[in-house]
Amino acid sequence: AQTVTQSQPEMSVQEAETVTLSCTYDTSENNYYLFWYKQPPSRQMILVIRQEAYKQQNATENRFSVNFQKAAKSFSLKISDSQLGDTAMYFCACQGAQKLVFGQGTRLTINP
Amino acid sequence: NAGVTQTPKFQVLKTGQSMTLQCAQDMNHEYMSWYRQDPGMGLRLIHYSVGAGITDQGEVPNGYNVSRSTTEDFPLRLLSAAPSQTSVYFCASRLGLPRTYEQYFGPGTRLTVT
């Protein structure tokens, strides 16, 4: 079984600052993927970034990057130069062969 | 491609009523799933399907039925609605192994049971 834990229910930073969202996971599978999804008020689930567990190199997508620590089962998301449009719920998720399991989410607010 | 579509967008039911939430995808994805999202919580898996004719239970399957007669469609049936089933429901799909694990989500259905 997979479990995903996000220990920060809410975070708030000023525009242009850098913010890091934490996520830990557990899985018995050897081949899995990790994701960060963004959910704005529209409720649409938007993929932010993904990491293949077999890759050591941390994934990056423009202002978004991850710190993947496989031994520690940690997968944090760093948002650089934060923008007002980054305000949303952020969910960490672990995808095994069959199931995608989500964490509880972190509500991120970017203040002007 | 329309991607993943869900109907209806909103629904209000009385306790004990039944209904079907529709989900369709036009990407020829093998895997389809249903999730529910309660306030302040992440998405929890209800049922999933790895291909036409094959379904399995997720974390919270009680009170829901699914079937997968075609690759495109994956309806979710509420047999006898209860207030505890008030939630936002998301359908998702993805390609099967080994090509990609990325899931594509529909826009969600907000269901209220009174």
Side-chain angles (χ1 to χ4, degrees), chain B residues 62-114:
Chain B
N62 292 339
Y64 307 94
N65 273 357
V66 293
S67 60
R68 184 100 178 266
S69 55
T70 67
T71 299
E72 295 78 19
D73 301 298
F74 190 44
L76 177 72
R77 281 182 287 277
L78 279 71
L79 308 173
S80 177
S84 61
Q85 294 179 303
T86 293
S87 189
V88 178
Y89 291 83
F90 289 94
C91 180
S93 73
R94 66 175 174 92
L95 289 168
L97 300 173
R99 285 160 287 181
T100 179
Y101 286 83
E102 180 178 349
Q103 297 233 13
Y104 296 81
F105 286 85
T109 295
R110 181 179 291 277
L111 175 68
T112 302
V113 183
T114 60

Side-chain angles (χ1 to χ4, degrees), chain A residues 31-33 35 37 39 42-45 47 50 89 91 95-105, chain B residues 9-10 31 35 37 40-43 45 48 50 57 88 90 94 97 100-103 105-108 110:
Chain A
N31 190 15
Y32 57 91
Y33 284 59
F35 299 92
Y37 280 90
Q39 187 181 44
S42 66
R43 292 204 313 260
Q44 183 66 42
M45 296 293 288
L47 179 65
R50 70 173 176 178
M89 285 289 290
F91 293 99
Q95 171 75 66
Q98 303 291 352
K99 300 177 184 178
L100 178 66
V101 176
F102 287 85
Q104 305 93 319
Chain B
K9 286 187 167 48
F10 302 92
Y31 284 64
Y35 296 85
Q37 183 179 25
M41 298 184 69
L43 280 68
L45 183 63
Y48 66 98
V50 300
Q57 295 181 352
V88 178
F90 289 94
R94 66 175 174 92
L97 300 173
T100 179
Y101 286 83
E102 180 178 349
Q103 297 233 13
F105 286 85
R110 181 179 291 277

Side-chain angles (χ1 to χ4, degrees), chain B residues 28-41:
Chain B
N28 203 29
H29 285 174
E30 293 96 328
Y31 284 64
M32 296 186 75
S33 308
W34 276 103
Y35 296 85
R36 60 177 287 174
Q37 183 179 25
D38 300 317
M41 298 184 69

Side-chain angles (χ1 to χ4, degrees), chain B residues 5-58:
Chain B
T5 58
Q6 292 183 236
T7 56
K9 286 187 167 48
F10 302 92
Q11 182 70 50
V12 179
L13 291 178
K14 294 188 187 307
T15 297
Q17 287 185 317
S18 63
M19 79 158 295
T20 299
L21 305 184
Q22 301 292 344
C23 175
Q25 52 90 11
D26 60 357
M27 297 173 282
N28 203 29
H29 285 174
E30 293 96 328
Y31 284 64
M32 296 186 75
S33 308
W34 276 103
Y35 296 85
R36 60 177 287 174
Q37 183 179 25
D38 300 317
M41 298 184 69
L43 280 68
R44 291 185 293 168
L45 183 63
I46 304 171
H47 285 287
Y48 66 98
S49 169
V50 300
I54 306 170
T55 64
D56 205 347
Q57 295 181 352

Side-chain angles (χ1 to χ4, degrees), chain A residues 75-86:
Chain A
F75 183 61
S76 61
L77 174 69
K78 186 171 80 171
I79 306 174
S80 303
D81 186 24
S82 57
Q83 301 174 358
L84 298 179
D86 295 333

